[in-house]
Amino acid sequence: YRGEAGRLVVGTIPIAFKQFYPVILPQFKARHPDVTLVVRSMSTTEQIQALQSGHIDVAVLRLPIQGPLLGG
């Protein structure tokens, strides 16, 4: 599919969810109608845990991230 169909789960910090996603979501859906977009408002720590466990695909984090949170 080249990333043009399916499901994309995005974790985001609450401020981005409130301020940016009302503008971004309609544009994304118009450009990618075959992608089901799920956006979850989460803290940075929750997003990192969700990335590591596979519960979200992408994270919009607040930097800097301290400690070995994303270590392999």
Side-chain angles (χ1 to χ4, degrees), residues 9-18 21 38-65 69-70:
V9 183
V10 178
T12 182
I13 55 176
I15 191 74
F17 183 79
K18 291 177 184 176
Y21 285 94
V38 178
V39 180
R40 297 190 176 141
S41 180
M42 314 167 96
S43 70
T44 297
T45 301
E46 291 170 328
Q47 288 182 67
I48 292 168
Q49 292 170 347
L51 276 171
Q52 291 173 328
S53 66
H55 288 100
I56 63 173
D57 302 307
V58 178
V60 179
L61 303 169
R62 181 183 307 259
L63 297 176
I65 299 172
L69 297 172
L70 295 177

